[in-house]
Structures are given as structure tokens and as C-alpha cells.
Amino acid sequence: MTQVIVMNGGSSSGKSGIARCLQAVLPDPWLTLGVDTLIDAMPGDVDDGISFASDGGVGVGAGFRRIEDAWMAGVAAMVRAGARVIVDDAFLGGAESQRRWRDAFDGLEVLWVGVRCDGAVAAGREMARGDRVAGMAESQAEAVHRGVVYDLEVDTGSAEALACAREIASRVT
């Protein structure tokens, strides 16, 4: 039985919209936890934390990684306690980010989903949202997928969030 759905995609690729649709179409209750949840929960003064450059680049330091490791362990503990969880993340470290999640979810049934979106389309969404640093979406569109292995990939540039959610839900056992 699938216990965790991990969705990886760049900023403004449509992961959050798919997650909301998944919660509507999956028969059981699923929690959605995203990297934005973690960032919003962090204090602004973490030494060597996370930084956002004016060109859309994102830098993460050792302080952020320590907190993120604890968060990953906490998400995994929730799953082990019986919660079903959708993780909405952007693997800034590509395959290394996936390895860290794999370690946290060791022994759990995980469905790995790549959420693709053309950089120009994501950049348009980013501009319309107005709550992201310009350039983040385009710079992450391909970089977050480098070396990552998926069970399924969806493309929000060619399919609506609900259609993507239905495709993902069809793979949940």
C-alpha cells in the first residue's frame, strides 16, 4: 500500500495544485506537506539557512540542512504512525535530495512523481503569482530533475492539475 507520494518539481510547476486535487480524488485522507511549509515555519535568522538571490537562485546552508533533516525525519515518523502524506518538494540538489528522502522513508512504500513544466510556462505562472523571486521557476524547471528516478512523471504544461492528479491516483495502491 502506498504510504507516501513524493512530488518533485521546480517552483511554479504546479505541485501544490496537484496535491490539492489528489486530496480530493484519493479515497482516504492524505496530508500535504511541502518545502514551503518548512520554510514558512523557520525563523528568519537561522545561521547558514536559506537565501533567495535577486536572480531567482536559492542557496541553502548547513543550518537549513540540519533543520530539513529533522523535518524529513518528522514527516517519516508521521507516516510510520499511520498518516498518508503527499510531499511537495523541489529537489535543489537533484539526486542527492532524493537520496536524503529515500533514507528518511526507508522501509515505507513511496510513489516518486516528477512534476515537469516548461521553464517559460512556469515563469509565466511565477509572474502571475507575484510571491516568488523572478527567475526561480525557470532556473529550477530542469535542474531539480537531474539524476532523479521516478515511478511516474506528469507535465503540467500539457495537462491540468486534476488530470495529473487522476494519473497519479491511478498508481496509488
Side-chain angles (χ1 to χ4, degrees), residues 6 23 36 58 72 88 114-115 122 136 153 156-157 160 165:
V6 177
Q23 288 177 309
D36 289 342
V58 180
M72 288 175 164
D88 167 350
V115 178
M136 187 182 297
E153 293 187 46
T156 63
E160 293 294 323

Side-chain angles (χ1 to χ4, degrees), residues 1-23:
M1 176 177 73
T2 305
Q3 297 167 285
V4 183
I5 300 168
V6 177
M7 293 191 301
N8 173 48
S11 178
S12 299
S13 64
K15 300 178 304 295
S16 298
I18 293 171
R20 285 189 297 277
C21 290
L22 277 168
Q23 288 177 309

Side-chain angles (χ1 to χ4, degrees), residues 81-162:
R84 295 176 96 180
V85 175
I86 301 163
V87 174
D88 167 350
D89 205 345
F91 291 178
L92 297 178
E96 174 59 18
S97 296
Q98 184 177 37
R99 183 203 58 77
R100 293 174 69 232
W101 274 116
R102 281 190 192 277
D103 289 350
F105 290 143
D106 186 44
L108 299 173
E109 291 297 319
V110 181
L111 179 66
W112 298 94
V113 180
V115 178
R116 301 250 181 203
C117 183
D118 179 80
V121 172
R125 292 175 184 169
E126 173 183 76
M127 187 181 306
R129 287 173 67 164
D131 65 349
R132 295 285 190 262
V133 177
M136 187 182 297
E138 196 149 14
S139 71
Q140 292 178 9
E142 291 302 319
V144 298
H145 299 290
R146 289 195 188 111
V148 179
V149 177
Y150 299 111
D151 297 310
L152 172 67
E153 293 187 46
V154 295
D155 185 342
T156 63
S158 61
E160 293 294 323
L162 181 58

Side-chain angles (χ1 to χ4, degrees), residues 40-59:
D40 289 345
M42 292 178 64
D45 61 350
V46 173
D47 288 336
D48 204 17
I50 188 166
S51 61
F52 302 94
S54 61
D55 66 355
V58 180

